[in-house]
Structure formats: C-alpha cells, structure tokens
Amino acid sequence: VLHLLGVPIALAVFGAWFQKSQQEQSERAVKEQRAKDADETREEILQLYFDRISTLLIDKNLMAIVSKVNDAPSESQELLTASRDVIRARTLSILRRFENDIERKNSVIRFLAEAEIIGKLELDLKGANLNGIDLKWADLRGANLNSARLERANLYDVKLQGASLEGASLKKANLNLASLEGTNTNLEGANLYMASLKRSNLKGASLQKTNLNQTHLQESVLVDAHLEGAQLYEAHLEKADLRGAHLAGAWLECANLKGANLKGANLERANLKEANLEGVNLEGANLEG
C-alpha cells in the first residue's frame, strides 16, 4: 500500500519540477528576446546617428567651409559653428546612451576620426565618457579631450599631436607609441596612474602635477617636458630622454631612471629618495634643494 501511495507523490513532485522548468525556460526565452530587441534598437540608433551626421556634412558642405574658413562669409562661419554644436550635442548624447557598450562607442569615435570631424572640424569632446574605448592607430590630432574620461582606454600608436587633454583621466590607459609632441598638448593634472606610455613622444608636453605613479615611460622622449610637481613614484623611466625637462618639485621616490638622460634637467627640490640612478646622465642638471 505504501508503495502504491508513493507513485502519485512522485508524479506530483515530477509535475511540479517540470512546470518550474518550463517556466524558467520561458522566462529565459523572454529575456533573450528582450536583449535581442534592445541590441537591434541600439544598432538602429547608431545607424541613424551616422546617417544624420553624414547628411549634415554633405548638405551643408562643412568640410569645404572649413578649408576656407578665414575667407568664408560670416553666414558660412555661423553655419559652421552651429553645425559643430549640433554634432557635439548628438555625439555626447549617443555616448551617454552607449555608456556600457564599448563596441558601439568605438564605432562612434572611429567614425568621427575617419570622417575628419575630430581633426578638420575640430569637434569638442570635452568631458566625454570614453572609458575602456579601443582607439589604437586612431587620428585624434587637434582633438579637445579636456576632462574626458579615458580610463583603461587603448590609445596604442594614436596620433594626439596638438590635442588638449587637460584634466583628462587616463588611469591604466595604454598609450604605447602614442605621439603627443607639442606645447599644445596639455596633460596638466591628468590621471595617468599605471598608464603605459613606452616609447611615447611627449616632447614639450605639459604634465605639471600629473599623476604618473607607476607609469611606464621606458625609452620615451620627454625633452623639455614640463613635469613640475608631477607624481612619479615608482615610475618606469629607464632610458627615457629627459634632456632639459622641468622636474622642479617632482616626486621621483623609488623611480627607475636607469640609463635615462637628464642632461640640463631642472631637478630642484625633486624627491629622488631610493630612485635608481644607475647610468643616468646628469650633466648640467640642477639638483639644488
């Protein structure tokens, strides 16, 4: 009798399990469909953005206006200014929408770079959230990236000559082989903690009070660079070219300067405690204080 009673109980348990399993499967299917629909919607938004910006460029003939901006009539210059404002607003809006969608953020910035909107049109990307973006080999010359968030961004071999990065956060960014030569490049106060800038060209760059703790700057060119008050704790500066660099008040404690060239550099009041100075060229350097 007990054996017979166990059959309906087992069936009931199986039925409950089967029903729950079916419900979970149905819920998964609904979630997957919603995710697919959301992805398709984001793709439509991205394509609409591309279409609108492209139409604006062509219809208003913006690149032609830029090429002769100094000789263009005032109404053309006003059109150019208004168009820039529209493109900036739409770009910042779509970047906010794609805040956690790295792939589509990459597409937006690469489109702007390849269409020369960042360079020739001088699009202002001040304050843009570009965290985690992959822009290797991109041409961002002349870009306004002041206060932009570029943490963990891949900027390998990127062209940034003349770009402005004042107050930008590049924590853990990869700037290997990046070219930032020129006094127009302003990284003053930027966060470059643990960034990789090996063999980068930073000649004359403004890096005052910048966080360069544990940053990799091996073999980089920092000739005449302004590093007053910069944080360079445990920074990797092996074989770096620091001729004439301005390092007054810089924090170089435990930094590795092995084989670096500091000829004529200003190291007044710089903290060199436990720094590795093996093979360093200090000819004509100011070491007072």
Side-chain angles (χ1 to χ4, degrees):
V1 175
L2 291 174
H3 174 71
L4 293 174
L5 285 172
V7 173
I9 293 172
L11 288 172
V13 171
F14 175 77
W17 171 84
F18 182 76
Q19 185 178 6
K20 183 180 179 182
S21 177
Q22 288 292 99
Q23 184 179 352
E24 289 175 350
Q25 187 176 350
S26 177
E27 289 174 353
R28 279 197 302 271
V30 169
K31 286 181 180 178
E32 288 173 2
Q33 187 59 48
R34 285 177 179 170
K36 183 180 178 182
D37 292 344
D39 187 68
E40 290 176 355
T41 299
R42 287 194 294 271
E43 188 61 28
E44 289 172 3
I45 291 168
L46 180 63
Q47 293 305 318
L48 182 60
Y49 166 81
F50 289 157
D51 292 343
R52 285 180 173 174
I53 301 301
S54 299
T55 300
L56 181 61
L57 289 174
I58 295 168
D59 287 356
K60 305 302 181 183
N61 204 15
L62 297 182
M63 290 306 176
I65 296 174
V66 169
S67 65
K68 52 182 180 181
V69 66
N70 294 328
D71 300 320
S74 58
E75 56 268 25
S76 293
Q77 294 184 23
E78 289 172 5
L79 172 63
L80 183 61
T81 300
S83 298
R84 280 195 188 109
D85 291 342
V86 169
I87 294 172
R88 169 177 163 77
R90 288 182 175 171
T91 299
L92 294 181
S93 175
I94 200 168
L95 287 174
R96 283 193 295 270
R97 184 182 287 270
F98 295 152
E99 183 173 0
N100 298 313
D101 191 335
I102 301 299
E103 185 177 344
R104 288 189 173 90
K105 279 204 298 188
N106 287 341
S107 297
V108 168
I109 302 301
R110 287 201 174 276
F111 165 75
L112 295 171
E114 290 169 10
E116 299 184 294
I117 295 169
I118 291 176
K120 284 189 178 179
L121 208 60
E122 298 178 348
L123 179 64
D124 184 356
L125 289 170
K126 181 179 179 180
N129 181 356
L130 301 173
N131 286 345
I133 201 166
D134 185 351
L135 289 170
K136 58 179 176 290
W137 305 310
D139 188 344
L140 297 175
R141 285 175 287 187
N144 182 349
L145 292 161
N146 292 343
S147 303
R149 294 165 61 190
L150 287 152
E151 296 179 12
R152 303 179 306 283
N154 184 1
L155 296 167
Y156 176 85
D157 203 14
V158 70
K159 296 180 180 67
L160 281 161
Q161 294 98 322
S164 183
L165 286 147
E166 183 175 352
S169 178
L170 289 105
K171 183 178 179 180
K172 297 187 180 179
N174 177 10
L175 283 114
N176 282 6
L177 302 179
S179 183
L180 295 122
E181 182 176 355
T183 54
N184 289 332
T185 302
N186 193 341
L187 286 161
E188 183 173 351
N191 185 353
L192 290 160
Y193 170 66
M194 287 182 68
S196 179
L197 291 97
K198 296 176 185 176
R199 298 186 298 280
S200 293
N201 189 341
L202 290 156
K203 183 179 180 180
S206 297
L207 294 153
Q208 298 96 326
K209 299 181 180 178
T210 301
N211 182 354
L212 290 158
N213 291 335
Q214 297 181 40
T215 296
H216 292 267
L217 286 155
Q218 296 95 324
E219 300 180 44
S220 289
V221 177
L222 288 150
V223 175
D224 297 322
H226 291 270
L227 289 150
E228 294 93 339
Q231 297 293 312
L232 287 151
Y233 176 76
E234 289 188 349
H236 301 273
L237 289 153
E238 299 94 317
K239 296 183 180 179
D241 190 349
L242 287 150
R243 286 173 296 162
H246 305 272
L247 287 152
W251 194 272
L252 286 152
E253 185 174 347
C254 299
N256 191 346
L257 288 150
K258 184 177 180 180
N261 189 348
L262 283 155
K263 182 178 180 179
N266 183 3
L267 289 154
E268 188 178 355
R269 303 184 314 281
N271 183 349
L272 290 161
K273 183 180 178 181
E274 296 185 37
N276 184 352
L277 298 172
E278 183 183 347
V280 172
N281 181 358
L282 289 165
E283 182 184 347
N286 182 357
L287 294 163
E288 292 183 9

